[in-house]
Amino acid sequence: MHAHPHAPRDPLTRFSVSMPRPLLQKLDAMAKARGQHNRSQTIAELVRGGIVEHETATGQGIVVGTITLVYDHHRHHLQEALTHIQHDHCREIISTLHVHMDHHNCLEVLVVRGRAENLRRLADQLLTTRGVKHGKLTVTTSGRNLV
Ligand code: NI
């Protein structure tokens, strides 16, 4: 069962925010591009994102996420190196997806679960392996504590 991320009857508090005008213009442009017409909703969404990031980066709890990697499988020993790192973290890696994107490039997505600092360390090891072209760790939460 999924908890609704924000209960409709949560009371709203009005407060005023100051920011540089160009930043506000960019915020409005982004909201428009996303189809959001309510500035308060847009700001609340950004605040939630920041809080998730902060809590997952600093908390001691177990978090879930994904690590995305793009690399050239022709590069000598790269695939073995990445596999070796992953086997060292087999308890944190729940599932992996490998897609052969074109003749050279592979996309790998790892679904991970564990303490945030361990996931960060695993991601750093993978992303700094020579030959990895791009990659990203995305950490999320169950949503239970979000308002
Ligand atoms: Ni491949």
Side-chain angles (χ1 to χ4, degrees):
M1 194 181 110
H2 292 264
H4 195 271
H6 31 128
R9 276 164 297 166
D10 278 348
L12 299 175
T13 301
R14 182 176 282 273
F15 66 105
S16 75
V17 175
S18 304
M19 67 175 76
R21 184 180 297 274
L23 186 59
L24 184 59
Q25 287 167 343
K26 285 191 173 183
L27 176 74
D28 286 342
M30 182 186 75
K32 193 177 169 197
R34 289 175 172 183
Q36 296 171 324
H37 304 291
N38 181 330
R39 197 184 263 168
S40 294
Q41 274 180 3
T42 302
I43 291 172
E45 182 194 304
L46 294 172
V47 169
R48 274 186 213 106
I51 289 170
V52 168
E53 206 169 282
H54 171 74
E55 288 183 347
T56 52
T58 58
Q60 294 298 301
I62 300 297
V63 294
V64 294
T66 58
I67 298 171
T68 307
L69 301 170
V70 176
Y71 61 90
D72 184 341
H73 75 99
H74 289 124
R75 186 155 177 142
H76 201 52
H77 291 318
L78 176 55
Q79 200 143 26
E80 292 112 286
L82 294 176
T83 302
H84 185 78
I85 295 167
Q86 291 184 38
H87 276 268
D88 281 345
H89 289 83
C90 58
R91 283 194 301 189
E92 271 125 4
I93 299 171
I94 301 167
S95 180
T96 62
L97 169 74
H98 185 112
V99 178
H100 312 303
M101 289 201 295
D102 56 34
H103 185 67
H104 294 279
N105 294 300
C106 299
L107 167 72
E108 250 173 51
V109 181
L110 284 58
V111 178
V112 290
R113 177 173 57 202
R115 285 178 51 189
E117 62 181 292
N118 293 341
L119 302 185
R120 178 79 262 165
R121 200 174 309 129
L122 167 60
D124 285 344
Q125 265 186 283
L126 293 167
L127 305 189
T128 56
T129 301
R130 271 174 74 94
V132 173
K133 294 178 176 179
H134 184 251
K136 191 172 166 58
L137 166 67
T138 304
V139 174
T140 186
T141 77
S142 62
R144 218 171 301 143
N145 301 321
L146 279 182
V147 292

